């Protein structure tokens, strides 16, 4: 039975990949994410700028051959700043999205599989957490701790796992009644083995889709917090911090301080959402012909 399940799973994933690649919007979103990753992590090696020290002789310069996107109020090259800030935004978004999905997956799988009063207690914790806006919690904690990059990852992960846990719980409630899970339990398999060998592997599609949307949400949340001045502290920055720093300058006509980071946030978040939609459609068995 295990070999048959493995073959069927592999065939299902192969079909999902083909369905995903036929979704032009999702493929375009994936291409955009890859390009931004290269731009932010490889770009600084090609277009090297000093993002630590200020240069008051080069402040608020308009875009030119020397500074392709101009400079900011302390003389930082804006294109280099966009790469520098994007590295933080993408790193925090990806890491926090993965952390939130891992926590939510484990919580939801245990709650759904255990059932009974354990499920009731665990999901009441989730309901109570969802009732409190994640942004409010994030703002309070950020104001108290003034976190660095990895501190933001931890905080975002701990406030964003609630929705994935509900999705995985629903998936687990469906899977735990399948024949292969019941067979494993009948021959003496432990609950942990049932979750690790059957529940989680067969929930991969839901987990991957949830992770994609969590990354997009995390990028937006860190942008919100940084825009309000509670994100990573100077000289570090992210796209939200760049928006906050350039807001007043925009009224003076220095559009290059606010348009690039704003567009970067919009494009990257839309790209991750397009990928998530594409993955959801690709894994949707109801749409397979």
């Amino acid at each position: 039975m295990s070999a048959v399940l493995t073959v069927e799973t592999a065939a299902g994933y192969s079909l999902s990949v083909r369905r995903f690649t036929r979704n032009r919007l999702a493929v375009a979103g994936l291409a955009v994410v890859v390009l931004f990753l290269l731009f932010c992590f490889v770009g600084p090696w090609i277009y090297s700028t000093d993002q630590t020290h200020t240069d008051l002789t080069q402040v608020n310069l308009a875009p030119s051959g020397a500074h392709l996107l101009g400079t900011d109020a302390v003389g930082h090259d804006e294109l280099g700043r966009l790469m520098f800030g994007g590295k933080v935004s993408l790193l925090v978004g990806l890491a926090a999205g993965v952390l939130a999905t891992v926590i939510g997956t484990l919580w939801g799988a245990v709650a759904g599989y255990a059932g009974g009063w354990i499920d009731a207690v665990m999901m009441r914790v989730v309901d109570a957490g969802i009732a409190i806006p994640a942004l409010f919690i994030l703002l309070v904690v950020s104001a108290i701790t003034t976190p660095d990059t990895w501190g933001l990852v931890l905080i975002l992960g701990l406030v964003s796992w609630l929705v994935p846990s509900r999705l995985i719980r629903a998936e687990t409630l469906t899977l735990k009644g399948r024949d292969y899970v019941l067979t494993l339990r009948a021959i003496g398999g432990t609950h942990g083995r049932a979750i690790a060998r059957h529940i989680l592997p067969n929930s991969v599609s839901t987990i991957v889709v949830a992770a994609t949307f969590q990354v997009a949400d995390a990028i937006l949340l860190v942008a919100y917090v940084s825009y309000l001045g509670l994100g990573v502290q100077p000289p570090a920055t992210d796209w939200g911090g760049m928006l906050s720093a350039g807001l007043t300058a925009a009224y003076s006509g220095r559009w290059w301080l606010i348009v690039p980071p704003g567009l970067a946030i919009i494009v990257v978040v839309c790209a991750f959402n397009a990928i998530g939609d594409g993955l959801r459609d690709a894994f949707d068995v109801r749409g397979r012909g």
Side-chain angles (χ1 to χ4, degrees):
M1 179 181 292
S2 178
V4 173
L5 288 174
T6 302
V7 172
E8 290 180 351
T9 301
Y13 287 148
S14 177
L15 178 59
S16 295
V17 170
R18 291 197 300 271
R19 286 169 56 85
F20 180 83
T21 55
R22 289 198 297 265
N23 188 324
R24 295 182 179 179
L25 186 59
V27 173
L30 180 60
V32 167
V33 170
V34 171
L35 287 175
F36 267 94
L37 288 172
L38 292 174
F39 173 75
C40 295
F41 289 91
V42 179
W45 293 92
I46 301 172
Y47 188 81
S48 180
T49 59
D50 185 355
Q51 296 296 323
T52 302
H53 302 94
T54 61
D55 185 356
L56 299 182
T57 64
Q58 300 290 318
V59 299
N60 295 325
L61 297 180
S64 64
H67 301 283
L68 299 180
L69 284 180
T71 61
D72 64 10
V74 293
H76 290 141
D77 183 274
E78 190 70 3
L79 179 58
R81 199 80 175 154
L82 195 65
M83 299 176 186
F84 187 64
K87 185 184 298 185
V88 175
S89 292
L90 290 174
L91 180 62
V92 171
L94 288 167
V98 170
L99 177 61
T101 304
V102 169
I103 296 173
T105 295
L106 295 177
W107 188 278
V110 171
Y113 186 82
W117 68 268
I118 296 177
D119 178 36
V121 171
M122 293 180 72
M123 296 316 295
R124 294 300 76 74
V125 172
V126 172
D127 292 340
I130 290 178
I132 304 173
L135 182 58
F136 173 77
I137 299 174
L138 186 58
L139 288 174
V140 172
V141 176
S142 297
I144 295 173
T145 62
T146 57
D148 58 7
T149 300
W150 293 109
L152 273 178
V153 170
L154 181 60
I155 295 170
L156 281 169
L158 292 177
V159 302
S160 304
W161 60 272
L162 302 169
V163 173
S165 70
R166 294 177 70 101
L167 296 174
I168 302 303
R169 172 185 176 269
E171 189 75 9
T172 302
L173 289 174
T174 301
L175 292 172
K176 73 176 185 179
R178 298 288 176 85
D179 290 341
Y180 46 82
V181 176
L182 297 177
T183 300
L184 177 65
R185 295 292 300 127
I187 62 177
T190 62
H191 297 302
R193 186 177 179 83
I195 293 175
R197 288 293 301 273
H198 294 300
I199 301 297
L200 293 182
N202 285 284
S203 301
V204 167
S205 60
T206 302
I207 294 171
V208 170
V209 173
T212 306
F213 288 117
Q214 285 302 308
V215 170
D217 290 343
I219 292 174
L220 280 178
L221 281 173
V222 73
Y224 295 153
V225 172
S226 297
Y227 180 79
L228 296 174
L230 299 176
V232 292
Q233 299 303 305
T237 190
D238 56 56
W239 288 334
M242 293 177 67
L243 277 176
S244 179
L247 182 61
T248 55
Y251 294 108
S252 301
R254 294 190 287 272
W255 57 267
W256 58 89
L257 298 181
I258 192 169
V259 172
L263 284 177
I265 294 172
I266 293 172
V267 171
V268 169
V269 169
C270 288
F272 273 109
N273 284 329
I275 294 172
D277 288 336
L279 289 172
R280 182 179 57 199
D281 293 341
F283 285 118
D284 186 2
V285 296
R286 291 171 299 179
R288 295 177 182 173

